[in-house]
Amino acid sequence: MPKLRIGSRGSQLALCQANLISALLCARGHEVEIEIIHTTGDKITDVPLAQVGAKGGLGKGIFTKEIEEALAAGRIDLAVHSLKDLPTELPPGFEIAAITERQDPRDAFCSRLYAKIEELPRGARLGTSSLRRRAQLKAIRPDLDVHPLRGNVDTRLRKLEQGEYAAIILASAGLKRLGRTELIQQIIPAETMCPAAGQGALGIEIRDGDSATRQHLAFLNDAAARATTTCERALLNRLGGGCQVPIGAFAEVRKDDRNQLHLEAIVADPDGLRLLRESRDGDLNHPEQLGNEVGQTLLGRGGDEILEAVYGRGLAVPPQP
């Protein structure tokens, strides 16, 4: 079996995910190397994530551009990404070879003192840099002091443990992969906080047309994860948003009909003043169609006005031509 070189960001979570894929490839007889690549999103830490694109000269791909450059140059053979960080439209020359079995896509409420969002006292400081999370928190608890929080998982948890925040919100998938679940008090229902498109899944990116590598990675592809995340990413693409804008999407295969997908989606004002929610069922075999239809419905209900206001206020970077 050929040697395969994996490109990964250098954070603890990114390396955990790269090592997970490495172990699966090694079990099939491959020799594997991991190359750490520092991305724009990792280098710029003094502004909220939603605004990094403006400072870095990028509207999309703040966590992927440098990795894709290494892939194009042949320094690596594949890249392991958190799928939610991958733009919905890849640059020419790349493809997603596999989407792995999905870890829990929901968000986690972490706290030392409080069991759930509803128990936080008025004015409590809650940490998150996600406009999507902020919008949904403000819709149900407008009294909270939602404060920006960046850094790797350990940094965020340490700030929580040191009492800088009453609570923080993180993706449950990352905490579970790292084995850092001790401060999870609540897995937030998707009806309360709609997750980011693709959250909980890993996307394995390769050079477009690299059929040999694609074949070696085919066993990693999970059909259910591919269908649900394709649906979510189609919605995100239809809305013209990236992973840092206040859009949520959560698709799942219906338990009572394995041929049907159910999609829940939201577009929200970052201050929670206006939140549009749409849900619909569709054919499992046509996930993009369902995502496009729900995205179009949200735009028609005023989602376009919400997003234009977000970009106009400089809270996020608009789609780049």
Side-chain angles (χ1 to χ4, degrees):
M1 301 292 280
K3 178 178 179 178
L4 292 171
R5 298 160 298 171
I6 297 175
S8 170
R9 295 168 59 197
S11 72
Q12 186 182 22
L13 178 57
L15 288 174
C16 171
Q17 293 171 167
N19 279 305
L20 172 65
I21 300 303
S22 174
L24 293 171
L25 290 169
C26 287
R28 295 176 75 92
H30 292 279
E31 181 184 350
V32 180
E33 285 184 1
I34 297 175
E35 179 177 337
I36 295 174
I37 299 169
H38 299 289
T39 69
T40 298
D42 298 313
K43 296 170 187 174
I44 301 176
T45 60
D46 58 341
V47 292
L49 274 179
Q51 298 172 28
V52 169
K55 188 159 186 175
L58 297 169
K60 300 179 181 179
I62 59 175
F63 292 116
T64 60
K65 179 177 180 289
E66 288 81 0
I67 295 175
E68 287 173 338
E69 289 172 349
L71 194 55
R75 289 185 5 232
I76 59 174
D77 302 299
L78 63 141
V80 177
H81 302 284
S82 293
L83 186 61
K84 69 182 181 64
D85 292 336
L86 265 179
T88 54
E89 293 184 352
L90 299 185
F94 304 102
E95 63 177 271
I96 299 176
I99 295 175
T100 65
E101 183 178 1
R102 204 170 190 181
Q103 179 58 270
D104 189 342
R106 295 171 296 174
D107 288 310
F109 173 82
C110 301
S111 179
R112 296 174 300 118
L113 303 173
Y114 305 102
K116 54 186 178 180
I117 296 169
E118 292 78 9
E119 291 186 5
L120 288 169
R122 288 185 62 83
R125 174 178 278 200
L126 185 148
T128 178
S129 285
S130 163
L131 290 181
R132 172 188 60 81
R133 291 172 180 150
R134 173 189 170 87
Q136 294 180 87
L137 284 165
K138 282 292 190 178
I140 58 174
R141 288 292 308 271
D143 60 290
L144 294 178
D145 175 19
V146 181
H147 195 269
L149 173 64
R150 287 201 59 193
N152 60 36
V153 171
D154 276 347
T155 298
R156 299 185 197 198
L157 290 175
R158 184 170 63 252
K159 289 182 177 181
L160 175 63
E161 290 168 338
Q162 291 172 347
E164 293 185 37
Y165 298 88
I168 62 176
I169 307 292
L170 296 170
S172 62
L175 292 169
K176 290 177 179 179
R177 287 192 179 111
L178 289 170
R180 295 298 310 272
T181 60
E182 66 275 11
L183 289 174
I184 295 179
Q185 299 291 348
Q186 177 191 23
I187 300 297
I188 307 173
E191 296 78 17
T192 301
M193 183 168 291
C194 196
Q199 188 161 293
L202 303 181
I204 315 301
E205 188 179 22
I206 63 172
R207 288 180 291 275
D208 190 21
D210 184 355
S211 57
T213 301
R214 187 193 309 120
Q215 185 175 351
H216 291 308
L217 300 175
F219 77 100
L220 294 169
N221 195 62
D222 181 82
R226 174 73 79 163
T228 55
T229 60
T230 295
C231 179
E232 294 165 6
R233 286 164 62 80
L235 173 128
L236 191 62
N237 190 54
R238 184 68 190 87
L239 292 172
C243 63
Q244 307 306 331
V245 293
I247 297 169
F250 175 53
E252 56 185 340
V253 180
R254 288 186 62 92
K255 294 180 175 60
D256 57 348
D257 187 344
R258 307 300 289 181
N259 293 314
Q260 290 281 300
L261 276 180
H262 179 73
L263 175 62
E264 294 275 345
I266 64 104
V267 178
D269 172 85
D271 296 321
L273 300 176
R274 187 180 181 193
L275 189 150
L276 302 178
R277 185 180 300 274
E278 188 71 26
S279 63
R280 192 173 303 179
D281 291 343
D283 190 336
L284 177 65
N285 296 312
H286 299 284
E288 284 185 287
Q289 180 179 338
L290 176 59
N292 283 325
E293 289 175 354
V294 172
Q296 184 60 45
T297 298
L298 285 168
L299 287 174
R301 290 178 53 200
D304 52 351
E305 297 171 3
I306 292 176
L307 294 173
E308 285 171 10
V310 169
Y311 301 136
R313 291 165 60 189
L315 296 175
V317 179
Q320 302 299 297

